[in-house]
Amino acid sequence: MAHLDWSHYPVNELKLVYSTLHAQLTLEPELMDSELMADLQTFLQQEAKAAGVDASTHSQWAAWLNDR
């Protein structure tokens, strides 16, 4: 399956989409195992790392995601 090229989208929009989907995980738990969520998270973690953020630290990751 071909994967999306996330770089075509503004990072701030992707942060919003990810945060919105992540907030729905308790209502839609199958999102947690979806390829879309995994790919989007991986891309955003790479962007965060490039910005000097330690995405493995929840507080840094959350702050970066919420700074749209």
Side-chain angles (χ1 to χ4, degrees):
M1 174 186 287
H3 292 274
L4 291 173
D5 181 357
W6 298 105
S7 65
H8 289 277
Y9 302 97
V11 171
N12 287 342
E13 286 182 19
L14 294 173
K15 288 180 183 183
L16 177 59
V17 169
Y18 177 83
S19 296
T20 301
L21 289 174
H22 192 269
Q24 298 301 310
L25 288 177
T26 57
L27 299 174
E28 302 290 344
E30 60 272 10
L31 280 173
M32 191 175 301
D33 296 324
S34 72
E35 287 185 50
L36 176 72
M37 253 326 246
D39 289 349
L40 179 53
Q41 183 176 35
T42 298
F43 176 79
L44 289 173
Q45 286 174 339
Q46 290 169 350
E47 292 293 306
K49 183 178 179 182
V53 174
D54 180 358
S56 68
T57 303
H58 179 73
S59 60
Q60 287 187 37
W61 172 242
W64 183 79
L65 282 173
N66 291 315
D67 183 28
R68 304 195 244 305

